[in-house]
Amino acid sequence: MLFAPDTEVALRSVVNLINTAANGDESLATMDELDAFLDTEGFSGSRTKTAAELRSVKRLRSELAALWTADEDTAAKSVNKLLADAKALPQLAKHDQWDWHLHATTPEAPLADRMGTEAAMAIIDVIRSKEMDRMRVCAAEDCDAVVLDLSRNRSKLYCDTGNCANRAHVAAYRARKAAEGE
């Protein structure tokens, strides 16, 4: 494990949120899709279930996508802005199936503020650990999904949104076979 368990969970949620808009797809178009996403990711707390809440989560997604590929200084500024906008006040929390972990907003804070703060707190660990290179974009030429590389040898190149790795490996195999046949 590279980061604390709650940091890794939050980073994976950031990846999953950003990738809801990967490759021109939109899988947060409706309130039902947002509900399913939040259930899958285990987000708790109050909800307004309004179009404004959905728009604020999509706005957050765009901010996090820009932050994902930013340089360290820009990422630090973005993280600080997310925390300031949410009026974050870190504290330990224990609820549902989660053991002690950090929350920096109340359960009643707006959903996008809670999500953004959780993402910011996780990315703080990435920045402080000088591990920004673990946040990347899929290496497939036709994919713009993001990748979180938590592998020991820093070898993860492809996203989990489709079969990018498989397609790349098949293409490389075919290229090798074609080269052998010449």
Side-chain angles (χ1 to χ4, degrees):
M1 182 179 321
L2 186 62
F3 299 107
D6 57 322
T7 297
E8 290 189 10
V9 168
L11 289 170
R12 285 188 181 102
S13 289
V14 171
V15 167
N16 294 338
L17 178 60
I18 294 170
N19 287 344
T20 61
N23 304 314
D25 292 337
E26 174 57 74
S27 59
L28 284 182
T30 68
M31 195 59 63
D32 287 342
E33 289 173 335
L34 177 59
D35 290 343
F37 175 82
L38 295 172
D39 287 344
T40 299
E41 298 301 320
F43 279 99
S44 59
S46 66
R47 294 277 314 282
T48 61
K49 294 189 179 248
T50 62
E53 182 176 69
L54 179 59
R55 281 192 305 274
S56 68
V57 170
K58 288 181 179 181
R59 223 176 2 262
L60 172 64
R61 177 180 65 190
S62 295
E63 290 176 47
L64 293 173
L67 189 160
W68 197 262
T69 56
D71 64 80
E72 187 177 271
D73 289 340
T74 303
K77 287 177 188 168
S78 297
V79 162
N80 286 338
K81 182 182 181 318
L82 285 169
L83 293 172
D85 289 350
K87 298 172 182 59
L89 180 62
Q91 52 196 293
L92 283 171
K94 185 177 186 178
H95 59 87
D96 303 320
Q97 77 274 19
W98 305 107
D99 201 355
W100 290 111
H101 59 284
L102 282 174
H103 274 220
T105 59
T106 66
E108 298 77 30
L111 175 63
D113 285 352
R114 291 192 323 270
M115 293 174 72
T117 299
E118 189 169 315
M121 297 291 288
I123 294 170
I124 283 171
D125 285 351
V126 175
I127 294 169
R128 290 176 16 167
S129 300
K130 300 291 188 193
E131 297 285 356
M132 292 282 299
D133 61 331
R134 291 184 179 275
M135 297 167 37
R136 36 180 94 126
V137 176
C138 182
E141 291 180 15
D142 60 343
C143 184
D144 63 3
V146 298
V147 176
L148 174 62
D149 182 5
L150 295 177
S151 67
R152 187 174 275 202
N153 63 354
R154 300 172 183 268
S155 61
K156 185 167 180 161
L157 300 175
Y158 300 100
C159 70
D160 298 325
T161 64
N163 56 2
C164 293
N166 188 46
R167 285 183 297 131
H169 294 133
V170 167
Y173 172 80
R174 288 181 179 155
R176 282 192 310 273
K177 289 299 179 186
E180 289 172 7
E182 289 179 5

